Amino acid sequence: MQRSKADRQVLAAYRYFPSIRDPTRRWNTAYWSLSSHQMASYTAPRMRSLCSLRLVSRQPSSSVSLRQALRDERTKGPMQFNRCRCEDSGASHHKLTVAAATGDVPPLEASRRSAIASFKVMDVVAQADELMREGRDIYHMEVGQPQSSAPEAAVRAANSAMLSDRCGYTAARGEMPLREAIAGMYGETYGDAAAIGPQHVHVTPGSSGAFSLAFIAAFDVGDAVAVASSSYPCYRNILTALGIDVVTIPVNARYVVTALELETAQAKRAAAGMPPIKGLVLSSPGNPTGAMLTPEELRDLCALCDATACQFVSDEIYHGISYTGAPRAASALEFTRKAIVINSFSKFYSMTGWRLGWLVVPDHLDSCIDALNQNMNVSAPTLAQRAAVAALHAEAAPELLGHIDRYAINRTIVLDSLAEMGLTDVSPAEGAFYVYVNLQAEGVTDSAALCSALLNEAGVAIVPGVDFEEPGSGKGERSVRLSYPGSTEDIQQAMSLFQHWWSTSSTAMALRGQVKA
C-alpha cells in the first residue's frame, strides 16, 4: 500500500503525543503535517515547531475531550506546548494547532525500529578475533562459514573478469548468464516440477538482501509473520525492524514446523480473535538444528499456506548439504508457484564473502521486488556474479561435493564427542553443518556465560541458543549451537578441548550447578 507523505509522518505525531496512544484509543490520527522553522512571531532565540494535527475520533466527541486528552502533555515530554487551539469541524473531526517550544534542540537519537537484538554469532566472532589478535589459538565452531574457498573455476572466472572488464553495474535483476544458470539448476536438481525461467530470478547482495526485499514486498507494518521457535535470528530481527509482528511457532519433536504446527497456530489465533498469520518463514535444512522437512511435509505445508493466504518464504540456503539417512531436500517450487524461494552462494558454494544470493518470486511480487532491488541495492556485486556462473557449472561439482564429505566426517566427530560427554539431547543434524544441544539436563541456565567461559578458558568458540529462540522463552539459555564446516583437524582439536573443559573446569562445573566457582 502506497502511503502519502502525511500518513508517513504520523510516526512523528506518535513520538510527541503519546497520550494519543492511550488504552482507550479515542483518537485515530488521520493527517499530520509538521514544519520546523524560526517563527517571526517569537522573539526568544529558540527553535519553534508549528504542528498541525487532524484527529478522527472513534466515536462522536468534542474538542473539549481532545483538550482533556492532551492536557497532561502540555508540560512534559520532549516538547512543551505554549498554546493549543482546538477547532470543531463536525461531530467527530477536530483540528488541533499547537505551537511548541522545544527549548534546546533535542539530541539526535537512533530510531525505535532499530532497537533490535544483535546477531550473537557475530558478537562471538568479534570476541574470538580479539583473542586471536592477542596471540591466542582459537578454534572456530561459532560461525556458519565454510573454511574452504570459492571453487577454483569461480576464482578463475573472477580473475578473468577483473583483467578484461570494468565490472560496472548490472541490471538489478542480475546478469542474464547467471539468471539462466540459476534457473537451469532448479530443473536439473529438483525435476521438471520445479523448472523455472530466468525471468523469475532476482539476484541480490547475499541472502540477507533477499530477505529484506521479500519481507518488505510481501508484508505490511503490523502483519503477523510466523517463524519456528528454533530458527535463524535474523528472520526475527529484520521483521521486527520493519514493524512486523513476529509469531513464534514451537518446533515439534523433530525440530521442524509442519502443516500441523502451522494449522494449530492459525486456529489458536482465530479462536482468540487475533489477526491471521500473513506469512511463514522456514528453512530446511534448518539453522541452528540441521533438521529437515520430508518432501511430503513440505508439500503439505505449501498446500496449507496457499489455502490460507499465508505467504510462504522458503529459505533453501543449505540445500546440497545433507547426510546419509536424511530426507531428500525438496524445493518449495516443486509444490507451489506462490512461495518465495531464497538461496545463496554462501554455504554449499563456499562463497560467503562474495555476498551473492537470489530470490525466485511469484508473479504477484515480481515487479515490486524488482523496484525494491533497484532502489535498495542497485545491483549485486558484478565480480561475484561472473564467478557464480562458474560455480554453478559442472566443472565445480567434484570440488563442492568434496566439502560435503568433509562435513560428514566432522559431524560424526562432533556427535560422538558430545555422546562421550553425556550430551545426547541434540537436534537431528540431518543437513547444514550445525548441531543444536539442549543442556537443560546438565543444569545449564546461562548459555551465554557458558560460551564466554569456554572461549576465554579453552579457546573454543561456540554460540549460545539465545540467538535462535524467542526472547524470554528460557529455551535459548539452556542451549548451544556448534558449527562444524572447518577443517577436520580443527574440529577434532576443538571437541577435545571442549571435552576437557567440560569435565575439569570449575567454571564449567559452576555453570552446570554442580559446584560453586
Side-chain angles (χ1 to χ4, degrees):
M1 179 179 65
Q2 186 69 29
R3 292 183 174 83
S4 67
K5 180 179 180 181
D7 290 333
R8 294 195 302 271
Q9 290 173 327
V10 164
L11 294 174
Y14 285 165
R15 185 178 183 83
Y16 292 110
F17 295 92
S19 62
I20 300 300
R21 296 178 282 128
D22 70 348
T24 63
R25 294 188 61 81
R26 285 174 291 180
W27 307 102
N28 284 337
T29 304
Y31 303 101
W32 168 260
S33 62
L34 170 68
S35 62
S36 298
H37 55 278
Q38 296 288 351
M39 295 175 60
S41 59
Y42 290 91
T43 57
R46 296 187 294 180
M47 182 69 77
R48 305 287 179 173
S49 296
L50 182 64
C51 311
S52 178
L53 178 67
R54 184 175 177 82
L55 301 175
V56 181
S57 176
R58 289 181 178 270
Q59 53 190 354
S61 58
S62 68
S63 59
V64 175
S65 60
L66 172 58
R67 291 191 187 93
Q68 183 67 36
L70 293 172
R71 180 174 295 169
D72 290 341
E73 290 300 319
R74 289 192 55 156
T75 58
K76 64 184 179 181
M79 301 181 73
Q80 289 79 48
F81 305 144
N82 282 355
R83 50 194 177 89
C84 174
R85 183 175 71 255
C86 301
E87 303 171 4
D88 288 324
S89 56
S92 61
H93 293 68
H94 313 286
K95 181 180 181 181
L96 166 70
T97 302
V98 176
T102 63
D104 296 333
V105 176
L108 296 175
E109 298 176 343
S111 68
R112 285 175 292 174
R113 71 171 58 194
S114 67
I116 59 174
S118 64
F119 189 7
K120 300 299 186 298
V121 170
M122 302 314 297
D123 290 345
V124 176
V125 170
Q127 295 167 14
D129 287 347
E130 185 176 348
L131 291 174
M132 290 178 66
R133 287 194 295 272
E134 295 173 0
R136 293 278 303 276
D137 290 330
I138 302 298
Y139 292 90
H140 294 275
M141 298 186 70
E142 80 279 29
V143 66
Q145 173 173 259
Q147 285 194 4
S148 49
S149 299
E152 291 182 5
V155 174
R156 289 197 302 271
N159 286 334
S160 175
M162 282 194 298
L163 293 173
S164 62
D165 194 294
R166 65 187 181 90
C167 294
Y169 292 137
T170 73
R173 288 177 181 261
E175 292 191 318
M176 184 56 73
L178 176 57
R179 291 163 56 206
E180 289 176 338
I182 291 172
M185 179 272 293
Y186 280 98
E188 294 169 5
T189 303
Y190 305 103
D192 292 342
I196 59 170
Q199 71 274 15
H200 295 108
V201 178
H202 297 255
V203 180
T204 58
S207 63
S208 299
F211 283 115
S212 296
L213 295 179
F215 295 165
I216 295 172
F219 310 124
D220 282 314
V221 172
D223 280 348
V225 175
V227 300
S229 57
S230 302
S231 61
Y232 180 53
C234 297
Y235 300 156
R236 185 183 304 277
N237 294 342
I238 296 172
L239 289 167
T240 299
L242 294 173
I244 295 166
D245 181 20
V246 180
V247 177
T248 300
I249 300 180
V251 296
N252 62 21
R254 291 182 43 249
Y255 285 85
V256 294
V257 167
T258 68
L260 175 60
E261 285 74 40
L262 174 59
E263 191 170 26
T264 299
Q266 290 173 325
K268 286 182 178 179
R269 290 182 67 86
M274 302 175 72
I277 294 175
K278 182 71 178 293
L280 173 68
V281 187
L282 285 182
S283 62
S284 175
N287 177 10
T289 64
M292 296 178 64
L293 292 165
T294 67
E296 294 75 22
E297 288 171 334
L298 181 59
R299 177 199 63 203
D300 294 346
L301 198 56
C302 290
L304 178 59
C305 286
D306 288 353
T308 57
C310 178
Q311 179 63 68
F312 183 33
V313 181
S314 181
D315 177 0
E316 302 179 1
I317 190 174
Y318 293 102
H319 276 211
I321 307 175
S322 58
Y323 309 103
T324 302
R328 179 179 70 85
S331 173
L333 293 174
E334 298 177 43
F335 310 112
T336 180
R337 290 310 165 95
K338 295 182 179 179
I340 300 171
V341 173
I342 293 176
N343 208 324
S344 166
F345 287 90
S346 292
K347 309 301 182 181
F348 177 74
Y349 299 96
S350 295
M351 297 175 67
T352 52
W354 297 73
R355 306 312 303 139
L356 197 65
W358 74 86
L359 309 95
V360 179
V361 303
D363 290 340
H364 70 280
L365 295 176
D366 182 77
S367 60
C368 60
I369 288 285
D370 189 29
L372 287 166
N373 205 6
Q374 291 170 355
N375 283 278
M376 297 178 69
N377 300 316
V378 181
S379 66
T382 303
L383 193 64
Q385 292 190 55
R386 305 283 173 82
V389 175
L392 287 165
H393 194 273
E395 179 187 355
E399 182 180 353
L400 296 173
L401 293 174
H403 301 330
I404 311 305
D405 293 338
R406 185 179 77 257
Y407 301 157
I409 295 171
N410 294 352
R411 173 179 177 269
T412 299
I413 292 171
V414 172
L415 292 174
D416 288 350
S417 298
L418 291 172
E420 292 172 6
M421 297 163 66
L423 305 179
T424 57
D425 190 355
V426 300
S427 61
E430 297 163 316
F433 29 60
Y434 307 115
V435 176
Y436 198 47
V437 188
N438 183 0
L439 299 174
Q440 182 176 7
E442 299 297 321
V444 174
T445 59
D446 189 347
S447 60
L450 185 145
C451 292
S452 179
L454 177 62
L455 175 60
N456 283 282
E457 295 182 10
V460 178
I462 63 175
V463 293
V466 291
D467 218 10
F468 308 99
E469 303 291 342
E470 182 179 26
S473 69
K475 185 176 179 181
E477 286 78 4
R478 303 187 297 267
S479 305
V480 295
R481 189 197 74 177
L482 286 70
S483 178
Y484 52 83
S487 71
T488 298
E489 293 76 12
D490 283 352
I491 297 302
Q492 183 71 68
Q493 181 64 16
M495 292 308 298
S496 178
L497 291 169
F498 187 10
Q499 285 178 307
H500 181 73
W501 179 85
W502 181 257
S503 60
T504 64
S505 167
S506 61
T507 307
M509 295 296 182
L511 288 166
R512 294 164 61 186
Q514 296 186 9
V515 297
K516 293 184 179 180

